[in-house]
Amino acid sequence: MKRVVTAAAGVTLAMGSLVVPGAPAFAAATLPIVGVTASSDDGNVPGNAVDGDLATRWSGEGDGVWLRADLGTVQTVGSTSVAWYRGDVRRMTFDVQLSQDGSSWSTVSSRTTSSGSTAGPEHYNFADGPARYLRVVGHGNTDNAWTSISELTVLGADGGGGTPTQTLGVGGVATPPGAVLVANQGSKYTIRSGGTATAPKVYDCQGNTIRGGLVIDADNVVVQNCRVDAQQQYGIYSDNNTNVTIQNNDIKNVKAPGDLNAITFFGNGHKILYNTAINFVTGDPGNSHTDFIQTWVSSSHPVASDDVQIRHNKAVGPANPGRQNSIPSIHQWLMVEDYGRGGNSGGNTDGMKNWIVADNEIGDSWNQAIKLDGPDNVSITRNRFVGSSTKVMEVTSASTGVKFYSDNQVGSGYGSVGMTVTAGGGPA
């Protein structure tokens, strides 16, 4: 039975029918696959990858094993969708290749890494091109040398001209030319140099690990594809900066003492996109307050953050129905306190404004998923609330223009929405 949470305005939000992660945002046609072969298998045969059943799979062992889909005739191919076996607990490295004759191959996606956060389909875009065959070439995963695909789909032209489709997690965004490549770091890594408003400086870890947390201390910066092993109270910390994008990072091992945040930021024009933080708190948090994202205004952090985008992130923690301090659940997925709020003093008095929180997966378990204490003109839209807090939203009288749209999907673990629901879909 589906449980329905009813909001004060009489708009109902039905549980279930959640959006599949990684689904393409455009209407490219799915191309029929007339045959599928592989370099090898272990009894999990190639046909399992196109039978429409996520419970079956093809598996091959070794670097360079491949699975090949035959479209029957040469057609224009623009992307592929792959559901990886155990894709929610390990990351695959792979290439995507196209061929018109099955002999000469062109690599259209090289050394791509899956998100490691879902066993459902993940979408990989590339330049439209003619092909009868599409081949996924595996280079093992973070556990072993196997490549295992539960389902493979080939899609037609999307008109994207090769513009990459950004997907969830590390490896979900391409490394641009000229990026600063960040190697593994054994201690806290601080970014002190930025670009310009029209050409921000990109720091790309390409899946490498930063131990000790990541600090951004510059304007006009993009930081991406980093595995942040915090080992302290903050994962990523952006301090009073403008035009900063934090995208496709994975954050873990945030731990006490102090309030515990996966991402803490201050400043206008922040974009927090496609990051993952799965069970990101380590150990007993005790009396620490645990948030995925937090910002506030005070004398030490005076900027009231405007024009903020929080999109396509996934942060979930353990259920904590008893609200026990020893369980490292997410107390609030997002906590925002403007000037003079939350016991803070000092800072700018012009007020935070113009935020959007969209297309995220939100897994909290305490009082509320999102607390807004002061920011104005905030849109909450198309999110999947999968936690078990008392309510979804707490919006104080200090905030105006906050809209929670009915296209949000609220799971049965919540007691109520906590505010009036605006009918229809929110802004793009």
Coordinates of all heavy atoms in Angstrom, one line a residue, residues 146-191:
W146 N 36.7 -8.0 -12.4 CA 35.5 -8.4 -13.1 C 34.8 -7.2 -13.7 O 34.8 -6.1 -13.1 CB 34.6 -9.2 -12.2 CG 35.0 -10.6 -12.0 CD1 35.9 -11.0 -11.0 CD2 34.7 -11.7 -12.7 NE1 36.1 -12.3 -11.0 CE2 35.4 -12.8 -12.1 CE3 33.8 -12.0 -13.8 CZ2 35.2 -14.1 -12.5 CZ3 33.7 -13.3 -14.2 CH2 34.4 -14.3 -13.6
T147 N 34.1 -7.4 -14.8 CA 33.2 -6.4 -15.4 C 31.8 -7.1 -15.5 O 31.7 -8.2 -16.1 CB 33.6 -5.9 -16.7 OG1 34.8 -5.2 -16.6 CG2 32.5 -5.0 -17.3
S148 N 30.8 -6.6 -14.8 CA 29.5 -7.2 -14.8 C 28.4 -6.2 -15.1 O 28.3 -5.2 -14.4 CB 29.2 -7.8 -13.4 OG 30.2 -8.8 -13.1
I149 N 27.6 -6.5 -16.1 CA 26.5 -5.6 -16.6 C 25.2 -6.3 -16.4 O 25.0 -7.3 -17.0 CB 26.8 -5.2 -18.0 CG1 28.1 -4.3 -18.1 CG2 25.6 -4.4 -18.6 CD1 28.4 -4.0 -19.5
S150 N 24.3 -5.6 -15.7 CA 22.9 -6.2 -15.5 C 22.1 -5.8 -16.7 O 21.3 -6.7 -17.1 CB 22.3 -5.6 -14.2 OG 23.1 -5.9 -13.1
E151 N 22.1 -4.6 -17.2 CA 21.4 -4.2 -18.3 C 22.1 -3.2 -19.2 O 22.8 -2.3 -18.6 CB 20.0 -3.6 -17.9 CG 19.0 -4.6 -17.5 CD 18.6 -5.6 -18.6 OE1 18.3 -5.1 -19.7 OE2 18.6 -6.8 -18.4
L152 N 22.0 -3.3 -20.5 CA 22.6 -2.4 -21.4 C 21.6 -1.9 -22.4 O 20.8 -2.7 -23.0 CB 23.7 -3.1 -22.2 CG 24.4 -2.3 -23.4 CD1 25.2 -1.2 -22.8 CD2 25.3 -3.2 -24.2
T153 N 21.5 -0.6 -22.6 CA 20.6 0.0 -23.6 C 21.4 1.0 -24.5 O 22.3 1.6 -24.0 CB 19.5 0.8 -22.8 OG1 18.8 0.0 -21.9 CG2 18.5 1.4 -23.8
V154 N 21.1 1.0 -25.7 CA 21.7 1.9 -26.7 C 20.6 2.9 -27.2 O 19.5 2.5 -27.5 CB 22.3 1.1 -27.9 CG1 22.9 2.1 -28.9 CG2 23.2 0.1 -27.4
L155 N 21.0 4.2 -27.2 CA 20.1 5.2 -27.5 C 20.6 6.0 -28.8 O 21.8 6.0 -29.1 CB 19.9 6.2 -26.4 CG 19.3 5.6 -25.1 CD1 20.3 5.3 -24.1 CD2 18.2 6.6 -24.5
G156 N 19.6 6.5 -29.5 CA 19.9 7.2 -30.8 C 20.4 8.6 -30.6 O 20.8 9.0 -29.5
A157 N 20.3 9.4 -31.7 CA 20.8 10.7 -31.7 C 20.1 11.6 -30.7 O 18.8 11.5 -30.6 CB 20.7 11.3 -33.1
D158 N 20.8 12.4 -30.0 CA 20.2 13.4 -29.1 C 20.5 14.8 -29.4 O 20.0 15.7 -28.7 CB 20.7 13.1 -27.7 CG 22.2 13.0 -27.5 OD1 22.8 14.0 -28.0 OD2 22.7 12.1 -27.0
G159 N 21.3 15.0 -30.5 CA 21.5 16.4 -30.9 C 22.5 17.1 -30.0 O 22.7 18.3 -30.1
G160 N 23.2 16.4 -29.1 CA 24.0 17.0 -28.1 C 25.4 17.3 -28.7 O 26.1 18.0 -28.0
G161 N 25.7 16.8 -29.8 CA 27.0 17.2 -30.4 C 28.2 16.7 -29.6 O 29.3 17.3 -29.6
G162 N 28.0 15.8 -28.7 CA 29.0 15.3 -27.9 C 29.2 16.0 -26.5 O 30.1 15.6 -25.8
T163 N 28.3 16.9 -26.2 CA 28.4 17.6 -24.9 C 28.1 16.5 -23.9 O 27.0 15.9 -23.9 CB 27.3 18.7 -24.8 OG1 27.6 19.6 -25.8 CG2 27.4 19.4 -23.5
P164 N 29.0 16.3 -22.9 CA 28.7 15.2 -22.0 C 27.5 15.4 -21.1 O 27.2 16.5 -20.7 CB 30.0 15.2 -21.1 CG 31.0 16.0 -21.9 CD 30.2 16.9 -22.7
T165 N 26.8 14.4 -20.8 CA 25.7 14.4 -19.9 C 26.3 14.1 -18.5 O 26.9 13.1 -18.3 CB 24.6 13.3 -20.2 OG1 24.0 13.7 -21.5 CG2 23.5 13.3 -19.2
Q166 N 26.1 15.1 -17.6 CA 26.6 14.9 -16.3 C 25.8 13.9 -15.5 O 24.6 14.0 -15.5 CB 26.6 16.3 -15.6 CG 27.5 16.3 -14.3 CD 27.7 17.8 -13.8 OE1 27.2 18.7 -14.4 NE2 28.4 17.9 -12.7
T167 N 26.4 13.0 -14.8 CA 25.7 12.0 -14.0 C 26.3 12.0 -12.6 O 27.3 12.7 -12.3 CB 25.9 10.6 -14.6 OG1 27.3 10.3 -14.8 CG2 25.2 10.5 -16.0
L168 N 25.6 11.3 -11.7 CA 25.9 11.4 -10.3 C 27.3 10.8 -9.9 O 27.7 9.8 -10.5 CB 24.9 10.6 -9.5 CG 25.0 10.5 -8.0 CD1 24.6 11.9 -7.4 CD2 24.0 9.5 -7.5
G169 N 28.0 11.5 -9.0 CA 29.2 10.9 -8.4 C 30.5 11.2 -9.1 O 30.5 11.8 -10.2
V170 N 31.5 10.7 -8.5 CA 32.9 10.8 -9.1 C 32.9 10.1 -10.4 O 32.4 9.0 -10.6 CB 33.9 10.1 -8.1 CG1 35.3 10.1 -8.8 CG2 34.0 10.9 -6.8
G171 N 33.5 10.8 -11.4 CA 33.6 10.3 -12.8 C 32.4 10.7 -13.6 O 32.4 10.4 -14.8
G172 N 31.4 11.4 -13.0 CA 30.2 11.7 -13.8 C 30.3 13.0 -14.6 O 29.3 13.4 -15.2
V173 N 31.5 13.7 -14.6 CA 31.7 14.8 -15.4 C 33.1 14.8 -16.0 O 34.0 14.3 -15.3 CB 31.5 16.1 -14.5 CG1 32.6 16.3 -13.5 CG2 31.5 17.4 -15.4
A174 N 33.2 15.2 -17.2 CA 34.5 15.0 -17.9 C 35.5 16.1 -17.4 O 35.2 17.2 -17.0 CB 34.3 15.2 -19.4
T175 N 36.8 15.7 -17.6 CA 37.9 16.6 -17.2 C 38.1 17.5 -18.4 O 38.4 17.1 -19.5 CB 39.2 15.8 -17.0 OG1 38.9 14.9 -15.9 CG2 40.3 16.8 -16.6
P176 N 38.0 18.8 -18.2 CA 38.1 19.8 -19.4 C 39.6 20.0 -19.6 O 40.5 19.9 -18.8 CB 37.4 21.0 -18.9 CG 37.6 21.0 -17.4 CD 37.6 19.6 -17.0
P177 N 40.0 20.4 -20.8 CA 41.3 20.8 -21.1 C 41.8 21.9 -20.2 O 41.0 22.9 -19.9 CB 41.3 21.3 -22.6 CG 40.0 20.7 -23.2 CD 39.1 20.6 -22.0
G178 N 43.0 21.9 -19.7 CA 43.6 22.9 -18.9 C 43.3 22.8 -17.4 O 43.7 23.6 -16.6
A179 N 42.6 21.7 -17.0 CA 42.2 21.6 -15.6 C 43.5 21.3 -14.8 O 44.4 20.7 -15.3 CB 41.2 20.5 -15.4
V180 N 43.5 21.7 -13.6 CA 44.5 21.3 -12.6 C 44.2 19.9 -12.1 O 43.2 19.7 -11.5 CB 44.6 22.3 -11.4 CG1 45.6 21.9 -10.4 CG2 44.9 23.7 -11.9
L181 N 45.1 19.0 -12.4 CA 44.9 17.6 -12.0 C 45.5 17.4 -10.6 O 46.7 17.6 -10.4 CB 45.6 16.7 -13.0 CG 45.1 16.8 -14.5 CD1 45.8 15.8 -15.4 CD2 43.6 16.8 -14.6
V182 N 44.6 17.0 -9.7 CA 45.0 16.8 -8.3 C 45.3 15.4 -8.0 O 44.4 14.5 -8.2 CB 43.8 17.3 -7.4 CG1 44.2 17.2 -5.9 CG2 43.5 18.8 -7.7
A183 N 46.5 15.1 -7.6 CA 46.9 13.8 -7.2 C 46.4 13.4 -5.8 O 45.7 14.2 -5.1 CB 48.4 13.7 -7.2
N184 N 46.6 12.1 -5.4 CA 46.2 11.7 -4.1 C 46.9 12.7 -3.1 O 48.1 13.0 -3.2 CB 46.6 10.3 -3.8 CG 45.8 9.3 -4.5 OD1 44.6 9.4 -4.6 ND2 46.4 8.2 -5.1
Q185 N 46.2 13.0 -2.0 CA 46.7 13.9 -1.0 C 46.6 13.2 0.4 O 45.5 12.7 0.7 CB 45.9 15.2 -0.9 CG 45.9 16.0 -2.3 CD 47.2 16.6 -2.6 OE1 47.9 17.1 -1.8 NE2 47.5 16.5 -3.9
G186 N 47.7 13.2 1.1 CA 47.7 12.6 2.4 C 47.3 13.5 3.6 O 47.2 13.0 4.7
S187 N 47.0 14.7 3.3 CA 46.5 15.7 4.3 C 45.6 16.7 3.7 O 45.4 16.7 2.5 CB 47.7 16.4 5.0 OG 48.5 17.1 4.0
K188 N 45.1 17.6 4.5 CA 44.1 18.6 4.0 C 44.7 19.3 2.8 O 45.8 19.7 2.7 CB 43.8 19.6 5.1 CG 42.8 20.7 4.7 CD 42.6 21.7 5.8 CE 42.0 21.1 7.0 NZ 41.7 22.1 8.1
Y189 N 43.8 19.5 1.8 CA 44.2 20.2 0.5 C 43.4 21.5 0.4 O 42.2 21.5 0.5 CB 43.9 19.3 -0.7 CG 44.3 19.8 -2.0 CD1 45.6 19.9 -2.4 CD2 43.3 20.3 -2.9 CE1 46.0 20.4 -3.6 CE2 43.7 20.8 -4.2 CZ 45.0 20.8 -4.5 OH 45.4 21.3 -5.7
T190 N 44.2 22.6 0.2 CA 43.6 23.9 0.1 C 43.8 24.5 -1.2 O 44.9 24.5 -1.8 CB 44.2 24.9 1.2 OG1 44.0 24.3 2.5 CG2 43.6 26.2 1.1
I191 N 42.7 25.0 -1.8 CA 42.7 25.7 -3.1 C 42.8 27.2 -2.9 O 41.9 27.8 -2.3 CB 41.5 25.3 -4.0 CG1 41.5 23.8 -4.3 CG2 41.4 26.2 -5.2 CD1 40.3 23.3 -5.0

